[in-house]
Amino acid sequence: MKRLAVLASGSGTNLQAILDAAADPAYPAAVVLVLSDKPGSGALSRAEAAGVPTEVVTWDEHGGDRRAFTKAVVETLRSHGVELVVLAGFMRILSEEAIHAFPNAILNTHPALLPSFKGAHACEDALEAGVKISGVTVHVVDVEVDAGPIVAQAPVEVRDDDTPESLQERIKAVEHDLFPKVIAEWARAEWEVVGGRTRRRGRVPI
Ligand code: GAR
């Protein structure tokens, strides 16, 4: 059973999906901590409702210094004995100290098919580009933002009348299914990272 921390800034619907999945005794990870950079976020309320310990580390209390912020996040994760970290709508970029502290043990869900539409405005950018298919990418967090090894992707159709909000809602519905599944597979060590890509363990590349 892996000790899992969920980092979230927003409403926490992905956190909720993870909490719901982890309620199954067969799930291979236990959510031992929810950490948010936003006091009063929906994610914190959901964690409290589920009886999961919470911590708040704000950007401002570290003077907007990314290394100091990351150091505080890493220390908090360590103090809770965390082994696996997932970013579920965590809208802060961690510095490389976090990647070194948790090598290949931080997963992120991104609301687009990477490497398209990196960054904090993926749904707006997809609509602006006029793509007909966007989707979800779950990837390992690496030093370069939204560029770590991809673990899983799922498509979501873009509709002519979509707004960024409506597209994001349909993307979230797919994330709620995909992200907890991928976290479980990662916790069971069903994947490995080889040469900057992920692959299922035991499979020999052709
Ligand atoms: C999710 O759609 C996630 O992919 C996105 O924020 C949303 C959080 O929703 N993350 C990013 O945009 C990261 N760049 P939630 O708070 O309801 O889980």
Side-chain angles (χ1 to χ4, degrees):
M1 183 75 84
K2 287 272 183 202
R3 293 178 63 80
L4 174 68
V6 181
L7 276 52
S9 305
S11 63
T13 65
N14 278 284
L15 164 66
Q16 191 65 55
I18 296 163
L19 289 170
D20 293 348
D24 180 343
Y27 199 77
V31 183
V32 297
L33 174 67
V34 171
L35 185 152
S36 185
D37 61 315
K38 295 272 183 255
S41 63
L44 290 171
S45 309
R46 290 173 190 273
E48 281 156 19
V52 173
T54 61
E55 299 270 12
V56 175
V57 179
T58 71
W59 184 248
D60 289 346
E61 75 190 334
H62 297 287
D65 177 337
R66 193 180 312 285
R67 289 178 93 105
F69 173 77
T70 301
K71 192 165 173 277
V73 169
V74 167
E75 279 170 6
T76 305
L77 295 171
R78 287 210 167 114
S79 74
H80 286 263
V82 168
E83 299 167 292
L84 179 61
V85 181
V86 301
L87 311 184
F90 189 62
M91 303 309 280
R92 293 286 173 195
I93 295 165
L94 297 168
S95 65
E96 62 190 89
E97 284 79 3
I99 287 106
H100 295 144
F102 294 95
N104 291 337
I106 309 177
L107 297 178
N108 180 45
T109 181
H110 183 78
L113 294 176
L114 292 171
S116 293
F117 313 123
K118 296 173 180 175
H121 308 286
C123 292
E124 287 92 327
D125 294 346
L127 291 177
E128 178 71 21
V131 296
K132 301 301 183 192
I133 304 281
S134 190
V136 176
T137 302
V138 178
H139 67 97
V140 182
V141 174
D142 211 337
V143 176
E144 198 186 328
V145 176
D146 294 335
I150 291 168
V151 188
Q153 294 186 299
V156 174
E157 183 193 358
V158 179
R159 297 180 184 158
D160 292 347
D161 59 353
D162 259 331
T163 61
E165 293 73 26
S166 65
L167 177 58
Q168 180 118 27
E169 284 310 307
R170 288 204 314 290
I171 284 175
K172 281 193 193 186
V174 173
E175 287 182 303
H176 297 164
D177 184 48
L178 184 68
F179 201 24
K181 279 187 195 156
V182 174
I183 294 166
E185 292 178 356
W186 203 263
R188 289 193 202 100
E190 291 179 17
W191 294 89
E192 61 188 343
V193 178
V194 181
R197 299 184 197 182
T198 66
R199 68 179 189 195
R200 294 240 181 221
R201 274 186 204 277
R203 274 195 199 166
V204 181
I206 299 164

